[in-house]
Amino acid sequence: MNCDKSFRRRWLSLFVENQTGVLARISGLLSGKAYNIHSLTVGETQDPTISRMTICLDADDKTYEQIKKQFNRSIEVIKVLDITDASIRSKEVMFIKIRDITDKDRAEIFQMATAFRFQIKDMDKSSVLIEAVRTEIKNDSILKVINERFKNIEVVRGGPVAIESISMQDR
């Protein structure tokens, strides 16, 4: 474990050209230098020629500065925003498929849905598919409870996306 106090979670938002291969080049910049990505999400913006990437990683100050400089030198990168210390709104999508359930299990899952504010998206006689669009920490809590109670589960997480808040109250 790195004891350096500057080693912490960092957030970058990149505006990039929406072209084939840009995601591979951006992630290649990180993996080529052995920088560890916690999550990377990407999607088209209101302008179909531009995509926005949300990158979350753990790094010390020196490494983080190097990463930002590399992105700023990249031809496909239009703008780099460091939102690490900004007030942000962040959510991630998580799907959990729970198999081999009983009627009693299903009733318990519906109660959990109310308590944890996730949605039942699909089900059949022996399975339930839930969707949680929450913060990463809240999704971790949901997953912990599901893992403690059920054995046959499948989890897919999309990774967090983030945007700067409008007011400081949102932090």
Side-chain angles (χ1 to χ4, degrees):
M1 181 88 179
N2 190 336
C3 293
D4 183 354
K5 289 185 192 291
S6 66
F7 190 84
R8 64 185 177 113
R9 180 79 23 108
R10 316 291 179 131
W11 289 87
L12 281 173
S13 186
L14 304 181
F15 291 86
V16 299
E17 294 175 5
N18 188 7
Q19 297 177 350
T20 304
V22 172
L23 174 60
R25 285 190 288 284
I26 295 297
S27 61
L29 280 173
L30 293 167
S31 66
K33 301 287 186 184
Y35 302 139
N36 190 28
I37 302 170
H38 178 68
S39 70
L40 187 153
T41 57
V42 61
E44 199 174 89
T45 66
Q46 68 279 8
D47 179 344
T49 66
I50 298 173
S51 290
R52 183 172 180 155
M53 292 183 173
T54 304
I55 302 172
C56 183
L57 49 92
D58 295 320
D60 61 31
D61 291 340
K62 183 179 177 185
T63 302
Y64 191 56
E65 288 305 315
Q66 290 173 342
I67 292 168
K68 289 191 298 186
K69 286 177 185 175
Q70 282 184 310
F71 287 145
N72 276 312
R73 285 192 302 259
S74 179
I75 294 168
E76 300 93 356
V77 175
I78 299 163
K79 185 176 184 179
V80 177
L81 294 175
D82 178 355
I83 58 174
T84 301
D85 296 320
S87 179
I88 61 172
R89 284 295 203 166
S90 175
K91 297 284 188 218
E92 88 165 341
V93 64
M94 176 176 68
F95 289 104
I96 303 174
K97 191 181 295 181
I98 308 170
R99 293 187 184 94
D100 302 326
I101 62 169
T102 64
D103 289 339
K104 182 180 174 189
D105 292 335
R106 183 183 333 287
E108 184 178 353
I109 292 166
F110 273 83
Q111 287 177 334
M112 292 169 130
T114 301
F116 284 101
R117 293 189 292 159
F118 59 73
Q119 295 183 343
I120 309 297
K121 287 299 192 177
D122 196 9
M123 69 178 144
D124 65 14
K125 186 175 179 172
S126 63
S127 302
V128 172
L129 176 65
I130 67 170
E131 174 189 75
V133 181
R134 314 282 289 146
T135 64
E136 188 177 11
I137 291 168
K138 288 178 182 172
N139 278 349
D140 287 343
S141 296
I142 292 168
L143 186 56
K144 182 178 184 236
V145 170
I146 299 279
N147 266 323
E148 289 171 354
R149 176 64 183 89
F150 303 98
K151 299 299 175 222
N152 193 353
I153 68 168
E154 179 181 351
V155 179
V156 177
R157 295 178 84 161
V161 293
I163 191 167
E164 302 86 354
S165 291
I166 295 170
S167 92
M168 292 298 289
Q169 298 172 18
D170 295 332
R171 186 149 197 170

